[in-house]
Amino acid sequence: MTLLTTVFAAIICTIIWYKNAPKSEMRVDILCWMYWGASIMWLVDAIFEYAELQAEYFTPSPVEMLNDFYLGLSVVALGLVIWLTILLIKDPNGVVKASLFKNN
Amino acid sequence: MACFIVPIAEAIVTTVAAKVIQSKEKEPEALKIATETGGFERETKIPFSRKLKWLSNLLWGGSVLLAFEHVWHGEIVPWFPFLTAAGNPSDAAEMLHEMSTVGVAMSVLVTVVWIGMLVVSNIIEKRALKHQPAV
């Protein structure tokens, strides 16, 4: 479930990136790298787990699924927080800078 | 347990390598690309340091999120030795085994995906060169 959640996040981010690249300065590519990297790594984890559990791997208990989904959502949220932090620090459109030096 | 350490190690190596290569690279070769509207666009060949950054981005991004999963499962703690498995020899042996199997496989698959990206980007670059009209 964590793998699925991250893969969907990666796909959505890639579509958003493709729609706006190369003009966009929102740095959605950071999200794409993070989610795709994590998806590949969790895919390997899933393959090893499948080799160990066989068919049982595809029939997790509802509690396990819910916990994994909760973890997946938390991972997506962490990715968004990292992206937002980088975006605000790099401030490609100068919005933060303009707000800080605003007179009133 | 600590499989993410292997991709992190690779990420450190690729980040340093990208910085070194970037400092030694010359000005990228400029290409004149014909657009569909009949005009021309100037494009530069993608330098290898930039391509290497794709790999380090994948590795860093994935490792950070994977490390979070380990925190979630209580495998990373904020006190020494930071990895709960490193606390006793039997768990440490299991951790090393996982690093050498799952961790290495993760690094290999990410690198294979990156090689695939290199192949595709090379094809795109070559195609752009092929369509370049004789000046």
Side-chain angles (χ1 to χ4, degrees):
Chain A
M1 207 58 182
T2 312
L3 170 63
L4 259 184
T5 315
T6 322
V7 167
F8 276 114
I11 291 168
I12 291 167
C13 289
T14 309
I15 293 168
I16 294 170
W17 170 80
Y18 186 84
K19 216 176 155 218
N20 301 306
K23 285 172 195 158
S24 174
E25 289 177 331
M26 289 299 284
R27 296 306 310 270
V28 184
D29 59 306
I30 295 169
L31 282 172
C32 296
W33 292 121
M34 270 195 289
Y35 293 147
W36 279 120
S39 299
I40 295 165
M41 291 181 194
W42 268 311
L43 175 69
V44 172
D45 213 27
I47 292 167
F48 274 87
E49 217 174 311
Y50 174 74
E52 198 183 312
L53 301 172
Q54 299 293 322
E56 205 184 312
Y57 173 77
F58 296 107
T59 51
S61 70
V63 177
E64 275 175 347
M65 267 180 72
L66 192 67
N67 187 35
D68 276 355
F69 182 57
Y70 188 30
L71 171 61
L73 286 182
S74 304
V75 163
V76 172
L78 176 69
L80 288 169
V81 168
I82 294 170
W83 166 69
L84 202 57
T85 308
I86 296 170
L87 187 71
L88 291 179
I89 291 171
K90 294 213 167 173
D91 194 21
N93 291 335
V95 178
V96 177
K97 199 178 164 189
S99 304
L100 285 173
F101 292 104
K102 207 170 153 187
N103 282 334
N104 48 1
Chain B
M1 279 187 165
C3 49
F4 69 97
I5 290 176
V6 182
I8 283 185
E10 192 188 344
I12 293 169
V13 172
T14 53
T15 306
V16 172
K19 292 266 177 208
V20 171
I21 293 168
Q22 193 180 15
S23 67
K24 287 179 180 173
E25 262 168 355
K26 293 173 195 162
E27 191 74 11
E29 192 186 323
L31 304 173
K32 198 176 174 187
I33 309 293
T35 60
E36 283 176 7
T37 50
F40 290 99
E41 262 179 28
R42 273 181 75 84
E43 297 285 351
T44 51
K45 238 185 151 186
I46 307 166
F48 186 70
S49 61
R50 196 174 150 203
K51 290 177 180 174
L52 203 56
K53 271 182 198 165
W54 299 344
L55 177 61
S56 60
N57 286 344
L58 272 177
L59 289 164
W60 278 120
S63 304
V64 166
L65 298 184
L66 214 69
F68 174 73
E69 189 224 328
H70 287 71
V71 173
W72 180 280
H73 288 131
E75 291 164 352
I76 298 177
V77 283
W79 53 84
F80 190 79
F82 306 111
L83 298 165
T84 47
N88 69 74
S90 66
D91 281 350
E94 202 184 322
M95 179 185 80
L96 289 174
H97 178 257
E98 200 194 82
M99 280 168 69
S100 63
T101 52
V102 184
V104 169
M106 282 173 176
S107 288
V108 168
L109 188 60
V110 171
T111 311
V112 167
V113 169
W114 173 69
I115 291 169
M117 286 171 67
L118 289 189
V119 171
V120 172
S121 72
N122 278 346
I123 291 169
I124 293 169
E125 275 179 306
K126 272 184 188 163
R127 245 187 235 167
L129 256 176
K130 222 178 187 181
H131 291 134
Q132 189 181 4
V135 185

